[in-house]
Amino acid sequence: MKNIILTGDRPTGKLHIGHYVGSLKGRVELQNSGKFDKSYIMIADAQALTDNFANPEKVRANVTEVALDYLACGIDPQKSTVFVQSHVAELTELTFYYMNLVTLARLERNPTVKAEIKQKGFGASLPMGFLTYPVSQTADITAFKATCVPVGEDQLPMLEQAREIVRSFNGLYGETLVEPKALLPENKSCLRLPGTDGMAKMSKSLGNCIYLSDSADEIKRKVMSMYTDPNHLKVTDPGNTSENPTFIYLDAFSSDEHFQKYLPEYANLAEMKAHYERGGLGDMKVKKFLNAVMQETLEPIRARREELEKDIPAIWEMLKKGSEEAKAVAGETLAEVKKAMKIDYFAE
Ligand code: TRP
């Protein structure tokens, strides 16, 4: 069996550092690892419309932003097929057939969807498109026979749903679809990077994100005003590092080399944490170091992004080509699905 990656993002905003360590960085490593036969990266505009259907301009504008973020981070269109979900109509057709294999009760149990419904305050006016997006996500994954789906932790229920549909389909109609596996980052701090304000999640509406496209000044301002340990009032106070976003970010981003370069009095993060925990290390010093680390990490991404922004038509051209390629692959799977379901009346 082939090793195939498929993953994607909803284009509802520019990507931030949570996306980067949670999934993007890993995708680039996988793309370059040579261990995969194929890698597909999808801009999930149709899924984004399930809760932004009244705001198509926003989705449209962010298709370009997300594509720029991908390429800036090192997604290479020579190695990965980058495409737009709405331009692969086969995915919608697959979704319709998969709908038969999922109950309403099952969809309502999906913890991520449940949390989103609550957060968005849909109440009784919950659009069907939104509730059923995990089924469409199953179509995205299975259309490419993906074996491996690198995503953030919040996407695990979607993968569980996809596996259930695959098993149900194969059981009813014969072995056709491939069961996918999620791939999460090993570094626990990368799983869910908190916001700069200490809230559990980075979210545009909370204004607590550092974006991949932020300027050096914006990054500095955001890092220097980050939430830390509220009980660490004086430098001499013992501090908490495990629930402190500045240290969680350092867990996710810093390396021993960063210490050698910017803060050689500590050999590594463990030493710095121990100092903070016993007292005597001030937040300002931690933030200055974190700022140096973040600047070093984000500067090359921002520089590449600025270059790419100069030729937006080239971005659309790449997406068009990728979408055509994706359409051909999804079409093959759709033909197999129709054959298995005995609706291939006119096939040769
Ligand atoms: N649900 C994902 C998100 O919110 C986007 C997505 C759509 C996706 N289809 C996918 C991710 C298929 C992985 C695989 O970002």
Side-chain angles (χ1 to χ4, degrees):
M1 196 168 68
K2 284 194 168 165
N3 249 336
I4 297 170
I5 296 175
L6 176 124
T7 186
D9 301 274
R10 291 183 200 168
T12 53
K14 295 178 174 190
L15 300 183
H16 54 62
I17 59 171
H19 295 115
Y20 182 68
V21 287
S23 171
L24 220 41
K25 191 171 162 220
R27 292 180 202 172
V28 174
E29 285 161 13
L30 292 172
Q31 166 201 272
N32 296 335
S33 70
K35 290 191 193 135
F36 289 86
D37 298 290
K38 211 54 219 148
S39 156
Y40 298 95
I41 318 257
M42 181 185 77
I43 303 186
D45 62 336
Q47 187 179 109
L49 284 166
T50 63
D51 62 325
N52 290 282
F53 50 85
N55 214 346
E57 294 302 334
K58 169 175 150 190
V59 173
R60 187 185 177 98
N62 282 306
V63 170
T64 342
E65 298 296 340
V66 169
L68 286 167
D69 284 329
Y70 283 167
L71 300 187
C73 286
I75 297 292
D76 176 355
Q78 303 296 327
K79 297 182 186 160
S80 297
T81 303
V82 186
F83 71 98
V84 188
Q85 187 184 28
S86 62
H87 276 59
V88 182
E90 288 74 7
L91 299 175
T92 323
E93 208 172 328
L94 286 172
T95 304
F96 191 67
Y97 299 129
Y98 296 168
M99 292 272 198
N100 299 332
L101 311 177
V102 190
T103 64
L104 178 60
R106 175 64 184 90
L107 287 170
E108 284 172 340
R109 266 205 318 274
N110 184 310
T112 299
V113 176
K114 231 175 167 171
E116 285 171 318
I117 290 172
K118 207 167 150 206
Q119 183 215 332
K120 292 172 205 296
F122 279 135
S125 53
L126 171 66
M128 279 311 289
F130 189 77
L131 184 69
T132 55
Y133 88 71
V135 183
S136 129
Q137 192 153 337
T138 301
D140 305 335
I141 296 168
T142 55
F144 300 93
K145 302 218 161 85
T147 47
C148 173
V149 184
V151 278
E153 199 180 25
D154 63 323
Q155 296 298 303
L156 290 181
M158 310 308 155
L159 268 289
E160 199 43 53
Q161 178 72 78
R163 279 193 295 273
E164 282 176 33
I165 293 177
V166 168
R167 284 197 288 266
S168 163
F169 188 101
N170 289 348
L172 282 168
Y173 306 119
E175 278 305 308
T176 313
L177 305 172
V178 177
E179 264 189 62
K181 270 210 285 289
L183 191 70
L184 299 179
E186 277 164 29
N187 181 336
K188 291 285 166 275
S189 296
C190 295
L191 277 180
R192 188 167 282 225
L193 211 61
T196 52
D197 59 356
M199 296 294 279
K201 219 180 150 175
M202 280 202 182
S203 122
K204 194 165 69 181
S205 50
L206 294 173
N208 60 1
C209 312
I210 296 177
Y211 293 97
L212 296 174
S213 48
D214 276 350
S215 68
D217 286 347
E218 278 166 321
I219 296 166
K220 184 169 179 200
R221 182 179 58 76
K222 289 178 183 177
V223 170
M224 297 321 269
S225 57
M226 266 176 82
Y227 177 88
T228 62
D229 172 5
N231 299 316
H232 184 247
L233 296 172
K234 292 194 295 281
V235 173
T236 48
D237 288 340
N240 175 315
T241 57
S242 58
E243 286 141 48
N244 181 330
T246 54
F247 280 98
I248 299 174
Y249 284 22
L250 286 174
D251 268 328
F253 288 96
S254 74
S255 64
D256 294 355
E257 289 73 46
H258 288 129
F259 279 95
Q260 277 163 32
K261 201 161 157 190
Y262 302 112
L263 203 57
E265 62 188 276
Y266 305 108
N268 52 42
L269 185 56
E271 279 187 14
M272 189 190 197
K273 279 187 180 174
H275 192 184
Y276 193 84
E277 281 163 12
R278 68 176 179 265
L281 171 56
D283 284 328
M284 194 48 105
K285 192 159 168 181
V286 179
K287 288 179 174 178
K288 275 192 176 147
F289 175 60
L290 176 60
N291 179 53
V293 172
M294 295 313 300
Q295 298 290 354
E296 184 176 317
T297 309
L298 297 176
E299 196 278 327
I301 296 175
R302 185 175 56 242
R304 265 198 305 274
R305 204 181 191 283
E306 280 166 10
E307 257 329 286
L308 292 158
E309 276 169 18
K310 291 179 188 159
D311 193 359
I312 299 295
I315 301 287
W316 286 112
E317 197 45 49
M318 171 210 55
L319 291 175
K320 185 165 170 242
K321 212 174 131 238
S323 301
E324 281 160 8
E325 203 183 310
K327 196 172 167 63
V329 177
E332 285 172 29
T333 305
L334 179 61
E336 289 170 37
V337 160
K338 289 175 115 170
K339 181 159 188 258
M341 294 181 74
K342 309 208 183 299
I343 52 174
D344 60 331
Y345 315 113
F346 311 120
E348 321 237 305

